[in-house]
């Protein structure tokens, strides 16, 4: 596919032609190019509403593309060096779920790290697959989950030779990467497929000196959040596949959960972002790496904070590190990451990606500048001066190894009862508890509730983490399996 011109944007071209043709719409959406909803048109703009259209022959159909969407997906596959690319408008959640649904059915085993995004465990509930969790390493100082070691994946594969697939985070939310190439070779030697959650790894395909991308490592499928670091609109994503996957079957699996009313605003943003990345990605991410490194150096000069990077690499659980990530440890100044997160937003007008109980993460992108970095660094320095306190007594780790007693599907659909959180100790959880972001479950259906986990949930709640996943929105009660 080297003959493809990455300057082309077929969906954008088709939409511009649609606008120029002055089509009179007697189809959905009912706002009729914005005329039926003037307030929305005033807010979003006439041009935006004029191309918020439904599928039609000149614009193709996302569920069964044969023209402009098909061409745009071929260009994306070429840009990302994949055998096939599928446009996703249900977020990377849908891409992750499609990977698992395309490779596993009820009773099948899948090897995966427990610090996966909730979408992966949702997929296990849908298909009935059985998780074989590989507990990630934990950095003793930072308290954060790391990557899977090759040795641990090798042990899981040897003990579960019937597993269908291995899922790998590339990278984790904090920027940590496993040895994806070696894990892929190992999995393939056991006749297992390799699925990569690259929600935070779009730039791996275009940057220089960054960890390797899933497709370059020979992975079979990769879920890529174009909107996170690739510049497309929120909720737009890609599902990439290698040569071992049947594209027709993958498309059918995607269509099980993806909308039949694909947003052309999202599709066009994928089309334009892909072209931008293919043409200018190296320069874009060279700038990002430089800004992130400058920020790390300046934050570490403040003292009390620790903006970590490649010095964590050990060839094992931290095989590589994404240097575009600005992950900062805050607990040494006596503040949980979520407390710094809240202060930055409420008092300094700075919105970062997330804060957990010991760290914050600021996403750096081509849209940043030295000015925005300086503003963040100055705010962190002032927060330390104004709010630093004795860190003793703070919860010191983010990850607790789960005790899995039942498959997520069986627990989710089991008879349940509601108990107070403290009364749940020793019970099997029947729902999710997680902090969002990052959306990694603290508890998932089928896992034993322990006193340590309860203490963590209550501590995170007290510190201001946004907890979700439970039926009780006050997070005071939990649904447990009624045995």
């Amino acid at each position: 596919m080297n003959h493809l011109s990455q300057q082309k944007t077929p969906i954008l071209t088709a939409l511009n032609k649609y606008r120029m043709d002055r089509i009179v719409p007697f189809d959905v959406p009912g706002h009729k190019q914005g005329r039926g909803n003037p307030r929305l048109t005033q807010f979003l703009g006439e041009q935006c509403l004029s191309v918020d259209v439904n599928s039609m022959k000149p614009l193709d159909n996302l569920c069964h593309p044969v023209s402009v969407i098909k061409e745009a997906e071929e260009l994306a596959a070429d840009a990302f060096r994949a055998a096939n690319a599928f446009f996703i408008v249900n977020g990377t959640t849908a891409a992750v779920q499609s990977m698992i649904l395309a490779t596993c059915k009820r009773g099948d085993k899948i090897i995966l790290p427990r610090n996966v995004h909730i979408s992966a465990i949702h997929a296990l509930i849908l298909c009935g697959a059985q998780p074989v969790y590989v507990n990630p390493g934990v950095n003793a100082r930072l308290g954060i989950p790391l990557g899977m070691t090759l040795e641990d994946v090798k042990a899981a594969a040897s003990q579960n030779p019937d597993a269908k697939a291995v899922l790998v985070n590339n990278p984790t939310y904090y920027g940590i990467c496993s040895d994806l190439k070696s894990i892929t070779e190992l999995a393939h030697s056991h006749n297992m497929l390799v699925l990569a959650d690259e929600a935070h790894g779009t730039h791996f395909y275009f940057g220089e000196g960054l960890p390797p991308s899933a497709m370059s490592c020979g992975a079979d499928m990769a879920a890529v959040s174009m909107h996170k670091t690739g510049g497309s609109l929120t909720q737009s994503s890609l599902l990439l596949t290698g040569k071992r996957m049947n594209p027709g079957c993958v498309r059918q699996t995607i269509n099980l959960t993806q909308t039949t009313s694909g947003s052309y605003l999202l599709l066009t943003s994928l089309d334009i972002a892909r072209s931008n990345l293919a043409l200018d990605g190296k320069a874009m991410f060279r700038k990002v790496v430089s800004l992130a490194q400058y920020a790390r150096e300046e934050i570490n000069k403040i003292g009390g904070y620790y903006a970590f990077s490649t010095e964590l690499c050990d060839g094992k659980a931290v095989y590589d590190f994404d240097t575009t990530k600005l992950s900062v440890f805050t607990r040494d100044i006596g503040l949980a990451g979520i407390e710094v997160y809240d202060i930055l937003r409420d008092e300094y007008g700075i919105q970062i990606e997330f804060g957990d109980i010991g760290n914050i993460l600021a996403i750096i992108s081509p849209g940043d500048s030295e000015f925005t970095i300086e503003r963040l660094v100055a705010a962190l320095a002032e927060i330390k001066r104004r709010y630093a306190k004795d860190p003793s007594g703070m919860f010191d780790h983010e990850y607790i190894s789960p005790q899995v007693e039942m498959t997520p599907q069986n627990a989710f659909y089991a008879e349940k009862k509601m108990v107070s959180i403290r009364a749940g100790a020793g019970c099997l959880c029947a729902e999710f508890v997680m902090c969002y972001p990052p959306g990694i479950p603290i508890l998932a259906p089928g896992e034993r509730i322990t006193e340590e986990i309860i203490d963590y949930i209550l501590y995170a709640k007290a510190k201001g983490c946004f907890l979700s996943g439970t039926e009780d929105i006050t997070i005071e009660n939990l649904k447990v399996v009624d045995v």
Side-chain angles (χ1 to χ4, degrees):
M1 290 192 289
N2 292 330
H3 65 285
L4 297 178
S5 170
Q6 291 296 332
Q7 291 183 331
K8 296 182 67 176
T9 49
I11 300 176
L12 174 63
T13 301
L15 280 175
N16 280 331
K17 183 178 186 305
Y18 170 85
R19 291 178 64 239
M20 294 296 291
D21 288 345
R22 302 175 65 85
I23 300 295
V24 178
F26 281 99
D27 61 349
V28 297
H31 62 67
K32 298 294 180 80
Q33 301 174 352
R35 292 186 293 274
N37 193 339
R39 290 177 63 189
L40 184 61
T41 304
Q42 184 179 19
F43 179 64
L44 294 179
E46 185 178 333
Q47 182 164 329
C48 176
L49 271 292
S50 73
V51 291
D52 180 36
V53 295
N54 193 31
S55 296
M56 60 189 74
K57 284 187 178 180
L59 298 180
D60 209 354
N61 187 301
L62 181 60
C63 295
H64 191 86
V66 294
S67 58
V68 294
I69 296 177
K70 180 175 183 290
E71 184 182 358
E73 289 184 334
E74 289 171 350
L75 285 161
D78 181 55
F80 283 80
R81 296 174 178 81
N84 293 278
F86 301 87
F87 282 10
I88 304 293
V89 295
N90 285 28
T92 308
T93 287
V96 169
Q97 291 175 347
S98 293
M99 289 197 302
I100 295 174
L101 295 175
T103 53
C104 297
K105 61 182 184 297
R106 183 175 175 83
D108 286 346
K109 294 179 182 177
I110 179 171
I111 298 168
L112 69 168
R114 175 54 179 76
N115 58 325
V116 289
H117 189 263
I118 192 171
S119 57
I121 305 179
H122 280 165
L124 301 183
I125 291 174
L126 292 174
C127 70
Q130 177 181 340
V132 177
Y133 289 127
V134 173
N135 286 318
V138 176
N139 181 286
R141 177 185 177 190
L142 305 178
I144 61 173
L146 307 175
M148 296 189 295
T149 67
L150 178 63
E151 290 72 22
D152 285 346
V153 178
K154 188 178 296 184
S158 297
Q159 294 164 15
N160 300 274
D162 53 341
K164 299 295 183 181
V166 178
L167 188 146
V168 186
N169 294 320
N170 193 49
T172 69
Y173 229 103
Y174 301 95
I176 291 161
C177 297
S178 300
D179 184 358
L180 182 55
K181 185 171 178 58
S182 296
I183 290 173
T184 299
E185 292 171 352
L186 169 72
H188 286 170
S189 73
H190 285 264
N191 201 31
M192 299 174 189
L193 296 170
V194 176
L195 320 178
D197 182 345
E198 288 190 309
H200 289 269
T202 304
H203 46 293
F204 289 0
Y205 289 87
F206 304 98
E208 298 172 309
L210 295 174
S213 68
M215 290 295 105
S216 72
C217 290
D220 300 292
M221 306 182 81
V224 179
S225 276
M226 281 284 276
H227 68 93
K228 286 187 169 70
T229 58
S232 64
L233 288 176
T234 296
Q235 201 175 307
S236 59
S237 182
L238 293 177
L239 177 57
L240 307 176
T241 64
K243 295 179 180 178
R244 294 158 62 105
M245 303 304 299
N246 180 326
C249 291
V250 172
R251 175 81 67 192
Q252 289 183 322
T253 303
I254 292 170
N255 288 344
L256 291 175
T257 56
Q258 177 148 267
T259 177
T260 56
S261 303
S263 166
Y264 277 86
L265 300 178
L266 300 182
L267 294 173
T268 311
S269 78
L270 285 171
D271 202 18
I272 296 171
R274 178 270 312 155
S275 180
N276 290 343
L277 291 172
L279 297 175
D280 301 315
K282 284 187 178 181
M284 290 163 61
F285 294 118
R286 193 179 301 123
K287 172 187 175 184
V288 173
V289 169
S290 176
L291 288 173
Q293 181 57 30
Y294 173 69
R296 270 190 291 274
E297 291 170 358
E298 293 300 304
I299 290 169
N300 286 333
K301 287 177 186 176
I302 297 171
Y305 297 106
Y306 174 33
F308 48 91
S309 185
T310 53
E311 71 278 357
L312 296 182
C313 294
D314 59 5
K316 296 179 181 177
V318 189
Y319 187 80
D320 209 341
F321 186 83
D322 174 11
T323 52
T324 71
K325 291 285 185 295
L326 184 57
S327 300
V328 184
F329 180 63
T330 66
R331 202 168 58 240
D332 284 349
I333 66 168
L335 293 176
I338 186 62
E339 292 175 308
V340 175
Y341 170 101
D342 285 338
I343 295 169
L344 281 169
R345 183 195 60 246
D346 296 342
E347 300 191 26
Y348 295 91
I350 295 173
Q351 180 64 57
I352 57 173
E353 175 66 12
F354 86 95
D356 55 31
I357 63 171
N359 302 269
I360 58 172
L361 171 66
I363 296 292
I364 312 298
S365 85
D368 282 301
S369 65
E370 289 81 1
F371 173 78
T372 60
I373 297 297
E374 292 285 4
R375 184 171 167 183
L376 174 62
V377 173
L380 289 173
E382 197 166 319
I383 288 170
K384 180 198 171 186
R385 179 181 62 81
R386 293 176 61 195
Y387 295 102
K389 56 188 177 182
D390 184 354
S392 60
M394 298 183 71
F395 214 94
D396 64 358
H397 57 285
E398 300 289 340
Y399 179 76
I400 301 171
S401 298
Q403 300 176 27
V404 181
E405 307 286 350
M406 188 182 290
T407 67
Q409 187 185 67
N410 287 343
F412 186 82
Y413 288 109
E415 292 296 319
K416 308 176 184 72
K417 64 181 179 180
M418 187 80 81
V419 299
S420 68
I421 284 187
R422 280 295 180 195
C427 298
L428 285 187
C429 194
E431 59 185 355
F432 290 92
V433 184
M434 65 176 179
C435 295
Y436 190 86
I440 298 167
I442 302 167
L443 272 172
E447 295 176 359
R448 186 73 64 186
I449 303 170
T450 65
E451 292 286 356
E452 183 184 19
I453 290 172
I454 292 170
D455 288 343
Y456 179 98
I457 292 170
L458 295 176
Y459 181 86
K461 183 181 177 183
K463 287 296 184 183
C465 290
F466 183 78
L467 292 166
S468 65
T470 54
E471 183 177 312
D472 175 14
I473 61 172
T474 66
I475 324 292
E476 294 177 355
N477 302 286
L478 291 176
K479 278 286 185 76
V480 300
V481 175
D482 188 5
V483 291

